[in-house]
Amino acid sequence: MYKLDLPIDHKEKAAIERRRRAEQERQGRIFNSKYRQIGVDKNTLDQQIQDRKWMEDLEQKRASAFAKDAVRNDTIAQLLQRRQEYDERENNRALNEFRALHQQPFAQREWDLNDPDFLKKDMPARISDDDPRCGIATLQKFQGEDLNSRARAKYQQEQLREWSRLQKEDQLRAQQEQHSADRLFFAKQNELDQRAVELQRGEEQCRRDINKSVRNYNDALFQENQERRALKKRQDDYDNYAEMTNMVTSDLLSENPDQAMSQFGPHRVVVDRWKGMGEDRLQRIRDEQQQQLEEKKRRDEEERQREQEWDQRRIAEAKAGMIAEKQLERDRRAFEHDLKNDNQRLSNEQRNLKSYLDRVVYTNQPTAAYFTQFNGSSR
């Protein structure tokens, strides 16, 4: 049998009571904010003084930084102001230059009314041989004038254009050859720089070859220029001889009916030698005009058929593009439908998971009594 009626230890009971009273007094001092704040904490005051000094130093540094920033901003503002003044001066100078170059009196809209040389610049009474204003009574067009001046001028312009093209091609070819020679020289020079002393003899030989190539090219160019001058001189001599022969054998004052034939073709005549046109020649002209008309109709028909083929091709390409766009639209709708189904499935899964957590996992919710067991002791 256990003995349960043991005697009470008064010393232990007194110690327990003493500790309980000390705990209650400690809790009263700690939990009473008014009693806990009575008194002076020197360490805290010293820390506050240090914090105050640190704040003053920080404020002084901040003011100094602001002052430096203000000085810098003033300097930048002065620079920007000088830059703005310089830009204004440049704009005014450019404006005056533009006015001097592009706003002259002759560029005004009313200059044609104020132009003192208006009559000098006006359209002449006759512009060309085919001017419709030149009637019978205008006295601006007479027989015996040179009606082939326009064709001759056009031919001369084409000849001059061909000469210019040939000269340009010669210059371009010479530049290309010069560029090729320069590239070869620079490539050899770089190679010689890399190999230094070991390829000195090769460098000198390469330079001699390049100089020889340039000399040969210059000789060839000189020979070409000499041949061109000789050819031009022979052509001029031939033209002069032909002109003298034509002047000697000319039948200008004869009664030869063939003298009206022009050198530019059998369909052209010299007006001041013209004796009239026969019926057979008029018929040939009419036949040739009819052939030209039929040829023009044929070309117009071919052009119309070509345009029709191009229209059919454009229509076919447009239809193909519409079909491709419809296919892309169907693919997009299918992708959106699949995405919608995936989002719906994920939403259902999340909803089921939340319902499972609320019903099964998170069932033991804490009450107010759970939080009252905290902060019950001063320790």
Side-chain angles (χ1 to χ4, degrees):
M1 294 298 292
Y2 292 97
K3 187 176 181 181
L4 300 177
D5 51 352
L6 296 176
I8 299 174
D9 191 354
H10 297 285
K11 293 182 179 179
E12 183 178 358
K13 182 178 181 182
I16 293 172
E17 289 295 334
R18 185 174 62 256
R19 288 195 297 271
R20 183 178 293 112
R21 287 194 301 270
E23 178 66 22
Q24 290 179 357
E25 292 175 358
R26 180 180 174 83
Q27 291 181 0
R29 290 194 303 272
I30 291 175
F31 294 150
N32 189 355
S33 59
K34 182 177 180 181
Y35 177 80
R36 186 174 63 250
Q37 294 177 357
I38 294 176
V40 177
D41 191 354
K42 187 176 182 302
N43 295 328
T44 304
L45 294 177
D46 294 338
Q47 184 66 32
Q48 290 179 358
I49 292 172
Q50 294 178 1
D51 294 342
R52 181 64 179 271
K53 290 182 179 179
W54 179 79
M55 288 297 295
E56 291 177 354
D57 294 338
L58 181 62
E59 190 68 24
Q60 185 177 2
K61 292 179 180 179
R62 183 182 179 187
S64 177
F66 279 140
K68 293 180 180 179
D69 195 9
V71 173
R72 185 176 63 255
N73 292 334
D74 292 339
T75 305
I76 294 173
Q78 293 177 3
L79 293 175
L80 292 176
Q81 185 177 2
R82 288 197 292 270
R83 178 64 181 272
Q84 184 177 3
E85 293 175 354
Y86 174 76
D87 292 340
E88 289 179 357
R89 290 195 301 270
E90 288 296 322
N91 290 332
N92 293 331
R93 185 189 61 77
L95 180 60
N96 294 329
E97 183 178 356
F98 177 81
R99 289 173 177 174
L101 292 177
H102 302 286
Q103 293 184 351
Q104 296 295 328
F106 57 85
Q108 297 179 0
R109 184 176 58 183
E110 297 83 3
W111 177 248
D112 56 345
L113 301 178
N114 302 324
D115 189 3
D117 298 332
F118 175 76
L119 296 178
K120 296 179 182 179
K121 299 177 182 179
D122 194 9
M123 183 181 295
R126 175 183 176 184
I127 298 176
S128 63
D129 294 339
D130 300 330
D131 195 346
R133 299 178 303 166
C134 298
I136 298 175
T138 57
L139 298 178
Q140 296 294 330
K141 182 177 180 182
F142 303 93
Q143 291 186 355
E145 296 181 349
D146 187 6
L147 300 179
N148 299 324
S149 59
R150 295 174 61 187
R152 184 175 62 256
K154 184 177 180 182
Y155 174 75
Q156 292 176 354
Q157 290 177 0
E158 293 178 355
Q159 188 177 15
L160 181 60
R161 189 182 300 109
E162 182 66 18
W163 290 347
S164 300
R165 185 183 64 80
L166 293 176
Q167 291 178 358
K168 186 176 181 181
E169 290 179 355
D170 293 339
Q171 292 177 0
L172 182 60
R173 182 169 63 254
Q175 291 177 0
Q176 291 177 356
E177 293 177 357
Q178 185 65 32
H179 291 167
S180 300
D182 292 341
R183 286 195 298 270
L184 178 61
F185 177 77
F186 289 129
K188 288 294 182 181
Q189 187 65 33
N190 292 330
E191 183 179 358
L192 295 174
D193 291 339
Q194 294 176 359
R195 298 172 64 179
V197 179
E198 300 173 358
L199 297 178
Q200 184 67 29
R201 184 176 302 172
E203 179 183 1
E204 295 176 356
Q205 184 65 31
C206 180
R207 185 176 293 108
R208 286 195 297 268
D209 293 339
I210 292 174
N211 294 331
K212 182 178 179 181
S213 176
V214 173
R215 185 169 56 256
N216 293 334
Y217 169 74
N218 293 330
D219 294 339
L221 185 61
F222 178 76
Q223 292 294 334
E224 184 180 356
N225 291 331
Q226 291 293 335
E227 292 177 359
R228 187 183 298 109
R229 293 192 186 98
L231 180 61
K232 186 175 184 303
K233 186 176 183 305
R234 288 195 300 269
Q235 184 67 29
D236 294 338
D237 294 340
Y238 176 77
D239 293 340
N240 294 331
Y241 177 76
E243 184 178 1
M244 289 187 294
T245 303
N246 292 330
M247 292 298 296
V248 171
T249 60
S250 175
D251 52 356
L252 177 63
L253 301 178
S254 65
E255 295 295 334
N256 187 6
D258 296 333
Q259 65 177 347
M261 298 296 293
S262 176
Q263 297 179 359
F264 293 97
H267 61 285
R268 296 176 179 269
V269 296
V270 181
V271 179
D272 55 348
R273 301 176 184 176
W274 177 243
K275 302 297 183 180
M277 185 181 297
E279 186 63 27
D280 54 347
R281 191 166 184 179
L282 291 175
Q283 185 62 33
R284 287 198 303 270
I285 293 174
R286 296 190 187 98
D287 296 339
E288 186 175 356
Q289 290 178 350
Q290 184 65 25
Q291 292 178 1
Q292 292 177 357
L293 182 60
E294 293 177 357
E295 180 67 20
K296 186 176 183 304
K297 289 182 179 179
R298 185 182 61 78
R299 289 197 300 268
D300 293 341
E301 182 64 23
E302 292 178 355
E303 184 67 21
R304 187 184 63 79
Q305 292 179 0
R306 191 181 298 107
E307 291 292 337
Q308 186 176 1
E309 292 177 358
W310 277 107
D311 293 339
Q312 292 177 358
R313 181 176 298 180
R314 285 195 295 270
I315 292 172
E317 292 178 354
K319 290 182 179 178
M322 293 176 62
I323 293 172
E325 289 180 357
K326 289 182 180 179
Q327 182 64 30
L328 291 175
E329 184 66 22
R330 286 195 295 270
D331 294 341
R332 186 182 63 79
R333 287 199 296 268
F335 174 75
E336 291 179 353
H337 185 266
D338 296 340
L339 182 62
K340 181 180 179 182
N341 293 333
D342 293 339
N343 293 333
Q344 187 68 30
R345 179 177 55 79
L346 292 174
S347 178
N348 294 332
E349 291 178 358
Q350 291 179 358
R351 191 182 298 107
N352 295 332
L353 178 61
K354 186 176 183 303
S355 176
Y356 170 76
L357 293 175
D358 293 340
R359 289 185 293 99
V360 178
V361 179
Y362 303 137
T363 57
N364 188 13
Q365 297 292 335
T367 59
Y370 173 77
F371 298 100
T372 57
Q373 60 181 337
F374 301 103
N375 200 17
S377 175
S378 62
R379 300 293 179 182

